[in-house]
PDB file of all heavy atoms in Angstrom:
ATOM      1  N   LYS A  19     -47.381 -75.937  67.226  1.00  0.00           N
ATOM      2  CA  LYS A  19     -47.930 -74.664  66.770  1.00  0.00           C
ATOM      3  C   LYS A  19     -49.395 -74.872  66.371  1.00  0.00           C
ATOM      4  O   LYS A  19     -49.749 -75.932  65.821  1.00  0.00           O
ATOM      5  CB  LYS A  19     -47.163 -74.151  65.546  1.00  0.00           C
ATOM      6  CG  LYS A  19     -45.773 -73.674  65.846  1.00  0.00           C
ATOM      7  CD  LYS A  19     -45.108 -73.179  64.567  1.00  0.00           C
ATOM      8  CE  LYS A  19     -43.675 -72.791  64.835  1.00  0.00           C
ATOM      9  NZ  LYS A  19     -42.977 -72.375  63.611  1.00  0.00           N
ATOM     10  N   ASN A  20     -50.219 -73.903  66.658  1.00  0.00           N
ATOM     11  CA  ASN A  20     -51.648 -73.898  66.303  1.00  0.00           C
ATOM     12  C   ASN A  20     -52.484 -74.949  67.024  1.00  0.00           C
ATOM     13  O   ASN A  20     -53.658 -75.114  66.709  1.00  0.00           O
ATOM     14  CB  ASN A  20     -51.849 -74.030  64.789  1.00  0.00           C
ATOM     15  CG  ASN A  20     -51.268 -72.856  64.049  1.00  0.00           C
ATOM     16  OD1 ASN A  20     -51.566 -71.710  64.368  1.00  0.00           O
ATOM     17  ND2 ASN A  20     -50.416 -73.130  63.078  1.00  0.00           N
ATOM     18  N   GLU A  21     -51.910 -75.664  67.985  1.00  0.00           N
ATOM     19  CA  GLU A  21     -52.661 -76.683  68.721  1.00  0.00           C
ATOM     20  C   GLU A  21     -53.305 -76.050  69.954  1.00  0.00           C
ATOM     21  O   GLU A  21     -52.639 -75.377  70.739  1.00  0.00           O
ATOM     22  CB  GLU A  21     -51.717 -77.809  69.149  1.00  0.00           C
ATOM     23  CG  GLU A  21     -52.428 -78.993  69.743  1.00  0.00           C
ATOM     24  CD  GLU A  21     -51.514 -80.196  69.857  1.00  0.00           C
ATOM     25  OE1 GLU A  21     -50.336 -80.041  70.254  1.00  0.00           O
ATOM     26  OE2 GLU A  21     -51.981 -81.298  69.532  1.00  0.00           O
ATOM     27  N   LYS A  22     -54.603 -76.260  70.124  1.00  0.00           N
ATOM     28  CA  LYS A  22     -55.290 -75.744  71.303  1.00  0.00           C
ATOM     29  C   LYS A  22     -54.770 -76.463  72.539  1.00  0.00           C
ATOM     30  O   LYS A  22     -54.558 -77.679  72.519  1.00  0.00           O
ATOM     31  CB  LYS A  22     -56.801 -75.960  71.203  1.00  0.00           C
ATOM     32  CG  LYS A  22     -57.481 -75.048  70.226  1.00  0.00           C
ATOM     33  CD  LYS A  22     -58.987 -75.264  70.275  1.00  0.00           C
ATOM     34  CE  LYS A  22     -59.700 -74.384  69.290  1.00  0.00           C
ATOM     35  NZ  LYS A  22     -61.164 -74.601  69.322  1.00  0.00           N
ATOM     36  N   HIS A  23     -54.575 -75.680  73.623  1.00  0.00           N
ATOM     37  CA  HIS A  23     -54.042 -76.266  74.849  1.00  0.00           C
ATOM     38  C   HIS A  23     -54.446 -75.434  76.058  1.00  0.00           C
ATOM     39  O   HIS A  23     -54.821 -74.264  75.930  1.00  0.00           O
ATOM     40  CB  HIS A  23     -52.517 -76.386  74.772  1.00  0.00           C
ATOM     41  CG  HIS A  23     -51.812 -75.092  74.545  1.00  0.00           C
ATOM     42  ND1 HIS A  23     -51.694 -74.518  73.299  1.00  0.00           N
ATOM     43  CD2 HIS A  23     -51.198 -74.241  75.404  1.00  0.00           C
ATOM     44  CE1 HIS A  23     -51.029 -73.380  73.406  1.00  0.00           C
ATOM     45  NE2 HIS A  23     -50.724 -73.182  74.680  1.00  0.00           N
ATOM     46  N   ARG A  24     -54.369 -76.071  77.219  1.00  0.00           N
ATOM     47  CA  ARG A  24     -54.725 -75.414  78.486  1.00  0.00           C
ATOM     48  C   ARG A  24     -54.106 -76.209  79.626  1.00  0.00           C
ATOM     49  O   ARG A  24     -53.952 -77.420  79.538  1.00  0.00           O
ATOM     50  CB  ARG A  24     -56.243 -75.385  78.630  1.00  0.00           C
ATOM     51  CG  ARG A  24     -56.726 -75.011  80.011  1.00  0.00           C
ATOM     52  CD  ARG A  24     -58.241 -75.017  80.098  1.00  0.00           C
ATOM     53  NE  ARG A  24     -58.716 -73.664  79.892  1.00  0.00           N
ATOM     54  CZ  ARG A  24     -59.964 -73.347  79.628  1.00  0.00           C
ATOM     55  NH1 ARG A  24     -60.885 -74.270  79.503  1.00  0.00           N
ATOM     56  NH2 ARG A  24     -60.313 -72.095  79.481  1.00  0.00           N
ATOM     57  N   ILE A  25     -53.787 -75.513  80.718  1.00  0.00           N
ATOM     58  CA  ILE A  25     -53.323 -76.154  81.947  1.00  0.00           C
ATOM     59  C   ILE A  25     -54.336 -75.878  83.041  1.00  0.00           C
ATOM     60  O   ILE A  25     -54.709 -74.724  83.261  1.00  0.00           O
ATOM     61  CB  ILE A  25     -51.942 -75.605  82.380  1.00  0.00           C
ATOM     62  CG1 ILE A  25     -50.867 -75.956  81.353  1.00  0.00           C
ATOM     63  CG2 ILE A  25     -51.561 -76.137  83.768  1.00  0.00           C
ATOM     64  CD1 ILE A  25     -49.523 -75.281  81.621  1.00  0.00           C
ATOM     65  N   ASP A  26     -54.776 -76.938  83.721  1.00  0.00           N
ATOM     66  CA  ASP A  26     -55.636 -76.835  84.904  1.00  0.00           C
ATOM     67  C   ASP A  26     -54.818 -77.293  86.111  1.00  0.00           C
ATOM     68  O   ASP A  26     -54.262 -78.398  86.084  1.00  0.00           O
ATOM     69  CB  ASP A  26     -56.856 -77.761  84.787  1.00  0.00           C
ATOM     70  CG  ASP A  26     -57.872 -77.278  83.784  1.00  0.00           C
ATOM     71  OD1 ASP A  26     -57.692 -77.527  82.576  1.00  0.00           O
ATOM     72  OD2 ASP A  26     -58.851 -76.661  84.220  1.00  0.00           O
ATOM     73  N   GLY A  27     -54.771 -76.491  87.150  1.00  0.00           N
ATOM     74  CA  GLY A  27     -54.043 -76.862  88.355  1.00  0.00           C
ATOM     75  C   GLY A  27     -54.884 -77.751  89.252  1.00  0.00           C
ATOM     76  O   GLY A  27     -55.833 -77.286  89.872  1.00  0.00           O
ATOM     77  N   LEU A  28     -54.562 -79.032  89.322  1.00  0.00           N
ATOM     78  CA  LEU A  28     -55.262 -79.954  90.225  1.00  0.00           C
ATOM     79  C   LEU A  28     -54.713 -79.813  91.639  1.00  0.00           C
ATOM     80  O   LEU A  28     -55.413 -80.049  92.614  1.00  0.00           O
ATOM     81  CB  LEU A  28     -55.134 -81.387  89.727  1.00  0.00           C
ATOM     82  CG  LEU A  28     -55.714 -81.638  88.325  1.00  0.00           C
ATOM     83  CD1 LEU A  28     -55.491 -83.089  87.920  1.00  0.00           C
ATOM     84  CD2 LEU A  28     -57.183 -81.269  88.262  1.00  0.00           C
ATOM     85  N   LYS A  29     -53.436 -79.454  91.721  1.00  0.00           N
ATOM     86  CA  LYS A  29     -52.748 -79.109  92.972  1.00  0.00           C
ATOM     87  C   LYS A  29     -51.873 -77.905  92.643  1.00  0.00           C
ATOM     88  O   LYS A  29     -51.629 -77.618  91.471  1.00  0.00           O
ATOM     89  CB  LYS A  29     -51.861 -80.263  93.452  1.00  0.00           C
ATOM     90  CG  LYS A  29     -52.615 -81.525  93.807  1.00  0.00           C
ATOM     91  CD  LYS A  29     -51.658 -82.607  94.285  1.00  0.00           C
ATOM     92  CE  LYS A  29     -52.443 -83.860  94.654  1.00  0.00           C
ATOM     93  NZ  LYS A  29     -51.551 -84.952  95.054  1.00  0.00           N
ATOM     94  N   ASP A  30     -51.394 -77.191  93.649  1.00  0.00           N
ATOM     95  CA  ASP A  30     -50.411 -76.151  93.384  1.00  0.00           C
ATOM     96  C   ASP A  30     -49.264 -76.790  92.601  1.00  0.00           C
ATOM     97  O   ASP A  30     -48.730 -77.824  93.023  1.00  0.00           O
ATOM     98  CB  ASP A  30     -49.865 -75.562  94.685  1.00  0.00           C
ATOM     99  CG  ASP A  30     -50.838 -74.604  95.369  1.00  0.00           C
ATOM    100  OD1 ASP A  30     -51.888 -74.265  94.776  1.00  0.00           O
ATOM    101  OD2 ASP A  30     -50.533 -74.183  96.494  1.00  0.00           O
ATOM    102  N   SER A  31     -48.899 -76.198  91.459  1.00  0.00           N
ATOM    103  CA  SER A  31     -47.933 -76.850  90.565  1.00  0.00           C
ATOM    104  C   SER A  31     -46.926 -75.869  89.992  1.00  0.00           C
ATOM    105  O   SER A  31     -47.268 -74.728  89.666  1.00  0.00           O
ATOM    106  CB  SER A  31     -48.676 -77.505  89.392  1.00  0.00           C
ATOM    107  OG  SER A  31     -49.586 -78.473  89.844  1.00  0.00           O
ATOM    108  N   TRP A  32     -45.683 -76.336  89.865  1.00  0.00           N
ATOM    109  CA  TRP A  32     -44.629 -75.616  89.158  1.00  0.00           C
ATOM    110  C   TRP A  32     -44.353 -76.345  87.853  1.00  0.00           C
ATOM    111  O   TRP A  32     -44.206 -77.570  87.841  1.00  0.00           O
ATOM    112  CB  TRP A  32     -43.359 -75.550  89.988  1.00  0.00           C
ATOM    113  CG  TRP A  32     -43.436 -74.567  91.109  1.00  0.00           C
ATOM    114  CD1 TRP A  32     -43.706 -74.841  92.420  1.00  0.00           C
ATOM    115  CD2 TRP A  32     -43.263 -73.155  91.025  1.00  0.00           C
ATOM    116  NE1 TRP A  32     -43.707 -73.674  93.154  1.00  0.00           N
ATOM    117  CE2 TRP A  32     -43.436 -72.620  92.325  1.00  0.00           C
ATOM    118  CE3 TRP A  32     -42.973 -72.270  89.976  1.00  0.00           C
ATOM    119  CZ2 TRP A  32     -43.328 -71.262  92.598  1.00  0.00           C
ATOM    120  CZ3 TRP A  32     -42.859 -70.919  90.261  1.00  0.00           C
ATOM    121  CH2 TRP A  32     -43.037 -70.425  91.557  1.00  0.00           C
ATOM    122  N   ILE A  33     -44.308 -75.583  86.767  1.00  0.00           N
ATOM    123  CA  ILE A  33     -44.133 -76.148  85.428  1.00  0.00           C
ATOM    124  C   ILE A  33     -43.031 -75.381  84.714  1.00  0.00           C
ATOM    125  O   ILE A  33     -43.021 -74.145  84.733  1.00  0.00           O
ATOM    126  CB  ILE A  33     -45.447 -76.040  84.621  1.00  0.00           C
ATOM    127  CG1 ILE A  33     -46.548 -76.802  85.350  1.00  0.00           C
ATOM    128  CG2 ILE A  33     -45.271 -76.553  83.194  1.00  0.00           C
ATOM    129  CD1 ILE A  33     -47.908 -76.218  85.151  1.00  0.00           C
ATOM    130  N   LEU A  34     -42.131 -76.094  84.086  1.00  0.00           N
ATOM    131  CA  LEU A  34     -41.125 -75.479  83.237  1.00  0.00           C
ATOM    132  C   LEU A  34     -41.684 -75.472  81.818  1.00  0.00           C
ATOM    133  O   LEU A  34     -42.123 -76.507  81.309  1.00  0.00           O
ATOM    134  CB  LEU A  34     -39.826 -76.290  83.290  1.00  0.00           C
ATOM    135  CG  LEU A  34     -38.587 -75.616  82.739  1.00  0.00           C
ATOM    136  CD1 LEU A  34     -38.205 -74.404  83.584  1.00  0.00           C
ATOM    137  CD2 LEU A  34     -37.441 -76.601  82.694  1.00  0.00           C
ATOM    138  N   GLU A  35     -41.717 -74.290  81.202  1.00  0.00           N
ATOM    139  CA  GLU A  35     -42.205 -74.162  79.829  1.00  0.00           C
ATOM    140  C   GLU A  35     -41.045 -73.725  78.953  1.00  0.00           C
ATOM    141  O   GLU A  35     -40.406 -72.712  79.226  1.00  0.00           O
ATOM    142  CB  GLU A  35     -43.316 -73.121  79.752  1.00  0.00           C
ATOM    143  CG  GLU A  35     -43.782 -72.840  78.331  1.00  0.00           C
ATOM    144  CD  GLU A  35     -44.718 -71.654  78.256  1.00  0.00           C
ATOM    145  OE1 GLU A  35     -45.876 -71.780  78.678  1.00  0.00           O
ATOM    146  OE2 GLU A  35     -44.265 -70.579  77.791  1.00  0.00           O
ATOM    147  N   VAL A  36     -40.778 -74.497  77.911  1.00  0.00           N
ATOM    148  CA  VAL A  36     -39.773 -74.117  76.914  1.00  0.00           C
ATOM    149  C   VAL A  36     -40.518 -73.918  75.607  1.00  0.00           C
ATOM    150  O   VAL A  36     -41.198 -74.829  75.129  1.00  0.00           O
ATOM    151  CB  VAL A  36     -38.681 -75.202  76.760  1.00  0.00           C
ATOM    152  CG1 VAL A  36     -37.637 -74.751  75.746  1.00  0.00           C
ATOM    153  CG2 VAL A  36     -38.029 -75.513  78.102  1.00  0.00           C
ATOM    154  N   ALA A  37     -40.439 -72.703  75.069  1.00  0.00           N
ATOM    155  CA  ALA A  37     -41.123 -72.379  73.819  1.00  0.00           C
ATOM    156  C   ALA A  37     -40.081 -72.160  72.730  1.00  0.00           C
ATOM    157  O   ALA A  37     -39.022 -71.579  72.980  1.00  0.00           O
ATOM    158  CB  ALA A  37     -41.979 -71.131  73.994  1.00  0.00           C
ATOM    159  N   PHE A  38     -40.408 -72.626  71.519  1.00  0.00           N
ATOM    160  CA  PHE A  38     -39.520 -72.516  70.366  1.00  0.00           C
ATOM    161  C   PHE A  38     -40.252 -71.828  69.223  1.00  0.00           C
ATOM    162  O   PHE A  38     -41.425 -72.103  68.994  1.00  0.00           O
ATOM    163  CB  PHE A  38     -39.085 -73.914  69.881  1.00  0.00           C
ATOM    164  CG  PHE A  38     -38.332 -74.697  70.900  1.00  0.00           C
ATOM    165  CD1 PHE A  38     -38.982 -75.622  71.704  1.00  0.00           C
ATOM    166  CD2 PHE A  38     -36.969 -74.524  71.057  1.00  0.00           C
ATOM    167  CE1 PHE A  38     -38.287 -76.362  72.649  1.00  0.00           C
ATOM    168  CE2 PHE A  38     -36.270 -75.260  72.000  1.00  0.00           C
ATOM    169  CZ  PHE A  38     -36.925 -76.177  72.789  1.00  0.00           C
ATOM    170  N   GLY A  39     -39.547 -70.970  68.500  1.00  0.00           N
ATOM    171  CA  GLY A  39     -40.134 -70.284  67.351  1.00  0.00           C
ATOM    172  C   GLY A  39     -40.041 -68.786  67.541  1.00  0.00           C
ATOM    173  O   GLY A  39     -39.076 -68.275  68.102  1.00  0.00           O
ATOM    174  N   ASP A  40     -41.071 -68.078  67.070  1.00  0.00           N
ATOM    175  CA  ASP A  40     -41.137 -66.629  67.253  1.00  0.00           C
ATOM    176  C   ASP A  40     -41.816 -66.395  68.594  1.00  0.00           C
ATOM    177  O   ASP A  40     -43.044 -66.405  68.694  1.00  0.00           O
ATOM    178  CB  ASP A  40     -41.924 -66.003  66.100  1.00  0.00           C
ATOM    179  CG  ASP A  40     -41.911 -64.492  66.133  1.00  0.00           C
ATOM    180  OD1 ASP A  40     -41.239 -63.902  67.008  1.00  0.00           O
ATOM    181  OD2 ASP A  40     -42.589 -63.882  65.285  1.00  0.00           O
ATOM    182  N   VAL A  41     -41.026 -66.248  69.641  1.00  0.00           N
ATOM    183  CA  VAL A  41     -41.547 -66.191  71.010  1.00  0.00           C
ATOM    184  C   VAL A  41     -41.920 -64.758  71.375  1.00  0.00           C
ATOM    185  O   VAL A  41     -41.061 -63.896  71.552  1.00  0.00           O
ATOM    186  CB  VAL A  41     -40.563 -66.814  72.027  1.00  0.00           C
ATOM    187  CG1 VAL A  41     -40.500 -68.316  71.836  1.00  0.00           C
ATOM    188  CG2 VAL A  41     -39.166 -66.239  71.912  1.00  0.00           C
ATOM    189  N   ARG A  42     -43.236 -64.517  71.455  1.00  0.00           N
ATOM    190  CA  ARG A  42     -43.787 -63.210  71.815  1.00  0.00           C
ATOM    191  C   ARG A  42     -45.012 -63.444  72.682  1.00  0.00           C
ATOM    192  O   ARG A  42     -45.779 -64.381  72.449  1.00  0.00           O
ATOM    193  CB  ARG A  42     -44.247 -62.433  70.576  1.00  0.00           C
ATOM    194  CG  ARG A  42     -43.245 -62.261  69.484  1.00  0.00           C
ATOM    195  CD  ARG A  42     -43.838 -61.484  68.293  1.00  0.00           C
ATOM    196  NE  ARG A  42     -45.254 -61.715  68.020  1.00  0.00           N
ATOM    197  CZ  ARG A  42     -45.745 -62.699  67.253  1.00  0.00           C
ATOM    198  NH1 ARG A  42     -44.926 -63.582  66.706  1.00  0.00           N
ATOM    199  NH2 ARG A  42     -47.034 -62.805  67.041  1.00  0.00           N
ATOM    200  N   GLU A  43     -45.216 -62.572  73.654  1.00  0.00           N
ATOM    201  CA  GLU A  43     -46.403 -62.690  74.512  1.00  0.00           C
ATOM    202  C   GLU A  43     -47.695 -62.426  73.741  1.00  0.00           C
ATOM    203  O   GLU A  43     -48.749 -62.906  74.122  1.00  0.00           O
ATOM    204  CB  GLU A  43     -46.308 -61.732  75.707  1.00  0.00           C
ATOM    205  CG  GLU A  43     -45.342 -62.170  76.769  1.00  0.00           C
ATOM    206  CD  GLU A  43     -45.717 -63.478  77.446  1.00  0.00           C
ATOM    207  OE1 GLU A  43     -46.898 -63.878  77.452  1.00  0.00           O
ATOM    208  OE2 GLU A  43     -44.810 -64.125  77.982  1.00  0.00           O
ATOM    209  N   ASP A  44     -47.638 -61.666  72.654  1.00  0.00           N
ATOM    210  CA  ASP A  44     -48.870 -61.349  71.929  1.00  0.00           C
ATOM    211  C   ASP A  44     -49.263 -62.421  70.911  1.00  0.00           C
ATOM    212  O   ASP A  44     -50.223 -62.256  70.170  1.00  0.00           O
ATOM    213  CB  ASP A  44     -48.777 -59.972  71.257  1.00  0.00           C
ATOM    214  CG  ASP A  44     -47.710 -59.891  70.176  1.00  0.00           C
ATOM    215  OD1 ASP A  44     -46.978 -60.874  69.960  1.00  0.00           O
ATOM    216  OD2 ASP A  44     -47.618 -58.817  69.547  1.00  0.00           O
ATOM    217  N   ASP A  45     -48.546 -63.544  70.883  1.00  0.00           N
ATOM    218  CA  ASP A  45     -48.902 -64.662  70.002  1.00  0.00           C
ATOM    219  C   ASP A  45     -49.830 -65.634  70.729  1.00  0.00           C
ATOM    220  O   ASP A  45     -49.525 -66.800  70.915  1.00  0.00           O
ATOM    221  CB  ASP A  45     -47.637 -65.380  69.510  1.00  0.00           C
ATOM    222  CG  ASP A  45     -47.958 -66.549  68.587  1.00  0.00           C
ATOM    223  OD1 ASP A  45     -49.004 -66.517  67.917  1.00  0.00           O
ATOM    224  OD2 ASP A  45     -47.172 -67.512  68.572  1.00  0.00           O
ATOM    225  N   ILE A  46     -50.977 -65.111  71.175  1.00  0.00           N
ATOM    226  CA  ILE A  46     -51.959 -65.942  71.877  1.00  0.00           C
ATOM    227  C   ILE A  46     -53.314 -65.722  71.234  1.00  0.00           C
ATOM    228  O   ILE A  46     -53.782 -64.592  71.118  1.00  0.00           O
ATOM    229  CB  ILE A  46     -52.060 -65.576  73.376  1.00  0.00           C
ATOM    230  CG1 ILE A  46     -50.745 -65.840  74.099  1.00  0.00           C
ATOM    231  CG2 ILE A  46     -53.196 -66.357  74.048  1.00  0.00           C
ATOM    232  CD1 ILE A  46     -50.743 -65.398  75.550  1.00  0.00           C
ATOM    233  N   THR A  47     -53.930 -66.820  70.798  1.00  0.00           N
ATOM    234  CA  THR A  47     -55.331 -66.792  70.383  1.00  0.00           C
ATOM    235  C   THR A  47     -56.100 -67.493  71.488  1.00  0.00           C
ATOM    236  O   THR A  47     -55.854 -68.671  71.763  1.00  0.00           O
ATOM    237  CB  THR A  47     -55.535 -67.520  69.041  1.00  0.00           C
ATOM    238  OG1 THR A  47     -54.740 -66.879  68.052  1.00  0.00           O
ATOM    239  CG2 THR A  47     -57.001 -67.491  68.627  1.00  0.00           C
ATOM    240  N   ARG A  48     -57.001 -66.763  72.162  1.00  0.00           N
ATOM    241  CA  ARG A  48     -57.787 -67.342  73.261  1.00  0.00           C
ATOM    242  C   ARG A  48     -59.143 -67.787  72.739  1.00  0.00           C
ATOM    243  O   ARG A  48     -59.827 -67.034  72.063  1.00  0.00           O
ATOM    244  CB  ARG A  48     -57.949 -66.329  74.390  1.00  0.00           C
ATOM    245  CG  ARG A  48     -56.689 -66.114  75.189  1.00  0.00           C
ATOM    246  CD  ARG A  48     -56.957 -65.317  76.475  1.00  0.00           C
ATOM    247  NE  ARG A  48     -55.767 -65.280  77.287  1.00  0.00           N
ATOM    248  CZ  ARG A  48     -54.852 -64.315  77.220  1.00  0.00           C
ATOM    249  NH1 ARG A  48     -55.003 -63.321  76.392  1.00  0.00           N
ATOM    250  NH2 ARG A  48     -53.788 -64.368  77.998  1.00  0.00           N
TER     251      ARG A  48
END
């Protein structure tokens, strides 16, 4: 939580994301 992060695609990539906590799309600070 609160850790800055980003994904850059070096190749076309499929990623499984598992999120835990209060999961809402509007919980994004850009």
Side-chain angles (χ1 to χ4, degrees):
K19 289 180 184 177
N20 297 308
E21 188 167 42
K22 287 184 181 179
H23 58 279
R24 167 181 264 165
I25 295 172
D26 288 82
L28 300 178
K29 297 181 179 177
D30 284 352
S31 300
W32 285 99
I33 300 149
L34 194 65
E35 175 189 287
V36 182
F38 299 96
D40 186 4
V41 290
R42 307 179 326 273
E43 286 296 337
D44 64 357
D45 180 28
I46 297 175
T47 300
R48 287 192 173 92

